[in-house]
Amino acid sequence: PASNPDDGSRRAETLTEASGKLSSERYQAFVENIEEGVYEVDIHGNFLYFNNSLCRIFGYPREEIQFQNFSKFMTDAYAKKAIETFSGIYRTGQGVSDIVWEMIGKDGKKRMVELSAKVIQNRAGETIGFRGIARDITNRFRTLKALEESERRYRTLLDFVPYPIVVFSLDGRVSYLNPAFTEVFGWTLDELEG
């Protein structure tokens, strides 16, 4: 019996649909199980889509994030910065990848979150929202702040040592001179850096 040429094209369409559905399911499973928060907000900053990791990062259950404005989850000062940042992304169409904001969880604890954001456009090329990724960098941020504070205390202590002290960076440049060094040798940090 002769085969119908339409049978081959129907099978190809069916395989293409099945492959597309499987690919979509894999993508959805991937997005729902990654460590980073994935989000989409409308043009006004209201959450339309987000994965479970964003709920964990923000410290709120899904139903308390859906359709809420991002500003609900941060202080007024950070909300103002967020509006300025997203306005800039909207104007330029250029995404950003290193936004750091302080978020406030439902438990009242503050978290430092690093975000990326880029515009979402409709078929007509109009910007209709933003999408991006969020990472909880609270521990890294605290470690960096503790290191900066430790370095500040260390330098303050060295300022009061009566003997000349010079500190070099790993690349051999002078990174610190205490006042005693300048008093004894007459050189300032600016003179030795230049």
Side-chain angles (χ1 to χ4, degrees), residues 123-163:
R123 291 178 190 225
E126 302 164 324
T127 298
I128 58 170
F130 306 91
R131 77 169 45 106
I133 295 180
R135 291 176 194 85
D136 186 342
I137 60 165
T138 304
N139 291 337
R140 185 173 72 187
F141 189 80
R142 285 181 185 149
T143 300
L144 182 61
K145 286 295 179 192
L147 183 61
E148 288 172 357
E149 177 60 22
S150 175
E151 184 175 311
R152 187 192 63 75
R153 278 189 260 140
Y154 171 72
R155 286 180 185 245
T156 300
L157 177 67
L158 292 181
D159 282 348
F160 292 102
V161 173
Y163 307 105

Side-chain angles (χ1 to χ4, degrees), residues 155-188:
R155 286 180 185 245
T156 300
L157 177 67
L158 292 181
D159 282 348
F160 292 102
V161 173
Y163 307 105
I165 296 176
V166 61
V167 176
F168 293 92
S169 63
L170 292 175
D171 62 0
R173 293 189 219 169
V174 175
S175 62
Y176 171 80
L177 299 175
N178 72 342
F181 185 95
T182 301
E183 189 177 310
V184 170
F185 297 105
W187 292 322
T188 65

Side-chain angles (χ1 to χ4, degrees), residues 17-36:
E17 288 173 18
S19 176
K21 184 179 178 188
L22 183 60
S23 178
S24 178
E25 289 171 358
R26 284 183 182 153
Y27 176 76
Q28 187 64 29
F30 170 75
V31 168
E32 285 303 323
N33 291 299
I34 63 173
E35 182 81 13
E36 288 83 9

Side-chain angles (χ1 to χ4, degrees), residues 51-190:
N51 65 357
N52 291 329
S53 291
L54 189 87
C55 297
R56 179 186 49 74
I57 291 167
F58 278 26
Y60 279 86
R62 179 172 288 279
E63 60 274 7
E64 292 185 39
I65 297 175
Q66 188 70 43
F67 306 121
Q68 295 298 312
N69 192 275
F70 65 85
S71 62
K72 173 184 177 178
F73 307 100
M74 54 182 67
T75 63
D76 290 343
Y78 275 97
K80 183 178 178 185
K81 287 181 185 179
I83 290 168
E84 290 169 3
T85 301
F86 278 100
S87 293
I89 295 168
Y90 178 83
R91 277 192 318 277
T92 65
Q94 298 295 311
V96 293
S97 60
D98 57 354
I99 309 165
V100 176
W101 289 323
E102 185 178 73
M103 310 300 283
I104 302 171
K106 187 173 184 172
D107 58 5
K109 291 183 181 174
K110 295 179 179 177
R111 296 171 173 83
M112 296 308 294
V113 177
E114 181 180 66
L115 294 150
S116 67
K118 63 184 246 176
V119 296
I120 302 171
Q121 296 181 329
N122 63 17
R123 291 178 190 225
E126 302 164 324
T127 298
I128 58 170
F130 306 91
R131 77 169 45 106
I133 295 180
R135 291 176 194 85
D136 186 342
I137 60 165
T138 304
N139 291 337
R140 185 173 72 187
F141 189 80
R142 285 181 185 149
T143 300
L144 182 61
K145 286 295 179 192
L147 183 61
E148 288 172 357
E149 177 60 22
S150 175
E151 184 175 311
R152 187 192 63 75
R153 278 189 260 140
Y154 171 72
R155 286 180 185 245
T156 300
L157 177 67
L158 292 181
D159 282 348
F160 292 102
V161 173
Y163 307 105
I165 296 176
V166 61
V167 176
F168 293 92
S169 63
L170 292 175
D171 62 0
R173 293 189 219 169
V174 175
S175 62
Y176 171 80
L177 299 175
N178 72 342
F181 185 95
T182 301
E183 189 177 310
V184 170
F185 297 105
W187 292 322
T188 65
L189 182 61
D190 290 338

